[in-house]
Amino acid sequence: LVDESGSMEGDREEWAKAIALVLASICRKQKRDLMIITFDRIVQDTIDSHQGEISNEMLAWLESKCSGGGTRYEPALDYATELIMESEDDMKHADIIFVTDDTCAVGEQWLNEWRLRKQSAGFPNVVGLGIDCEIDSLITICDSVESVETTAMGAESAFFI
């Protein structure tokens, strides 16, 4: 899941896309499929990558700009979980990597339902990557959370040193 809300524009957007490229590279080496789901208030796009290949669709996304809308986590997380739970193949063992600047709070009722769904369904691992943020909401949603600070170096060099 890649946040494309207005607050992600600039360095955060570049970092999110660099992370997606690194994940594609890992998937290629592990012969795993990758699905990138972009969102702001709603799910914006779904980009499939068979075994981490860099498709024309992914290249177009990498060149595009953030949608600039507001942020809501619930629709994107619900969409990703539905795709995984309804899958009949190896996707049931998928991880969700959630890349955002964490400028969104989730409702208590949704959060309780999310936790129940995760417990009852043997739900996959959810990893949050917070770009230049406090990661408060991510901690309540994800199994593990890492903070990504963009001030150390540019996204174009961080993963390709």
Side-chain angles (χ1 to χ4, degrees), residues 50-68:
H50 178 67
Q51 296 188 354
E53 71 184 26
I54 307 299
S55 65
N56 288 337
E57 184 181 17
M58 187 182 296
L59 288 173
W61 171 68
L62 289 168
E63 293 176 353
S64 70
K65 295 292 180 193
C66 284
S67 63

Side-chain angles (χ1 to χ4, degrees), residues 97-108:
I97 312 297
F98 189 31
V99 183
T100 182
D101 61 354
D102 204 26
T103 58
C104 177
V106 294
E108 194 65 35

Side-chain angles (χ1 to χ4, degrees), residues 1-3 35-39 73 76-77 80 96-100:
L1 295 174
V2 179
D3 182 351
M35 179 180 290
I36 299 170
I37 300 170
T38 64
F39 73 96
Y73 293 163
L77 287 163
I96 295 177
I97 312 297
F98 189 31
V99 183
T100 182

